[in-house]
Amino acid sequence: MRWLELEGAVNARDVGGLPTDDGGRIARRRLLRSDNLQDLTVTDIKLLVEEFDLTTVVDLRGTHEVQAEGPGPLRGVESVLHAHHSVLPEAGEATDAGAEAMLGHRRERALARYPADPVCAIYLGYLEDRPDSVVGALRSVAAARGAALVHCAAGKDRTGVVVALALSVAGTRRDAVIADYAASGNRISGILARLRASPTYAPDLAKRPDDADHTPRAETMATFLDQIDVRYGGVHSWLSEHGFDGAETDLLRAKLIES
């Protein structure tokens, strides 16, 4: 895993280099992940497009967020395709800035999915509420001509889930998937500072002001992946059930695995 030291984002990294179960590795410059891209500078864009061959941005934010934030600077780059796949129900003004805010009026139903870990319950909700978007995001990654960059607002929850699923399809060791997810905790202060400076996300964060409440826990991702095994028979089984077939699995694996 390689951190991308961007001027306009703080939670950006290349997941290339992570080990797979069969002794291989995830290829570099194939799958990138990040927090919000609204503040990217000219230097950032040059790095992403020229050095990392970025050709596809997979945006997991809700429609409200996209509209409130407006078009980011990468929208002006003709060679970069933008694919929007919101993993939240398209109702209200929910963001991923605060878990309690995300639950909103759906709190009781959401928590019932997994009461022991509310964040895991939210992640399971992505699969139940928006399987179309989760599958669509993976298809966009697999189809990217060059590098695909997956992002949301903080780059840790929605992005964490989609990237974890992509890495799992590629056969990445589970401990490495979990470690990549938890790595966002190393940048949590910067992530939250950016979000608190945004009128879109500041109100949700004000409801949960403690930085520790937003720090991703390795245990949450471990539990989430375990629950996919228990409830659906594993990542591959869940994807197959929702139309992501064997050919698409092969395409995504070929995209991500180092040859």
Side-chain angles (χ1 to χ4, degrees), residues 15-47:
V15 302
L18 295 179
T20 59
D21 288 324
D22 60 3
R25 292 197 175 275
I26 299 300
R28 298 190 185 279
R29 296 179 173 84
R30 300 286 178 82
L31 178 58
L32 315 178
R33 55 178 296 172
S34 181
D35 49 338
N36 203 340
L37 304 178
Q38 297 299 117
D39 300 324
L40 293 185
T41 66
V42 172
T43 300
D44 293 337
I45 293 172
K46 181 179 177 66
L47 175 73

Side-chain angles (χ1 to χ4, degrees), residues 2-165:
R2 173 184 176 184
W3 288 100
L4 305 184
E5 302 300 341
L6 302 178
E7 296 173 349
V10 298
N11 192 24
R13 56 190 184 271
D14 179 355
V15 302
L18 295 179
T20 59
D21 288 324
D22 60 3
R25 292 197 175 275
I26 299 300
R28 298 190 185 279
R29 296 179 173 84
R30 300 286 178 82
L31 178 58
L32 315 178
R33 55 178 296 172
S34 181
D35 49 338
N36 203 340
L37 304 178
Q38 297 299 117
D39 300 324
L40 293 185
T41 66
V42 172
T43 300
D44 293 337
I45 293 172
K46 181 179 177 66
L47 175 73
L48 291 170
V49 174
E50 297 184 8
E51 181 174 337
F52 286 86
D53 189 28
L54 177 65
T55 63
T56 301
V57 170
V58 180
D59 186 348
L60 305 178
R61 296 175 299 165
T63 299
H64 160 70
E65 294 168 81
V66 173
Q67 293 175 343
E69 293 283 279
L74 268 173
R75 283 283 181 177
V77 180
E78 293 184 1
S79 62
V80 177
L81 172 70
H82 293 262
H84 182 217
H85 301 286
S86 172
V87 297
L88 296 180
E90 291 290 274
E93 299 183 349
T95 75
D96 74 346
E100 295 299 316
M102 288 170 66
L103 291 172
H105 67 280
R106 296 175 290 113
R107 175 181 173 82
E108 184 174 347
R109 173 173 171 259
L111 287 177
R113 293 184 178 112
Y114 196 78
D117 188 334
V119 178
C120 178
I122 290 168
Y123 295 174
L124 291 168
Y126 301 161
L127 304 186
E128 293 181 16
D129 294 334
R130 297 305 306 269
D132 56 326
S133 288
V134 174
V135 169
L138 295 180
R139 285 176 174 149
S140 293
V141 171
R145 291 182 294 103
L149 188 156
V150 179
H151 83 97
C152 51
K156 62 185 181 71
D157 296 305
R158 292 173 285 190
T159 297
V161 165
V162 168
V163 169
L165 295 178

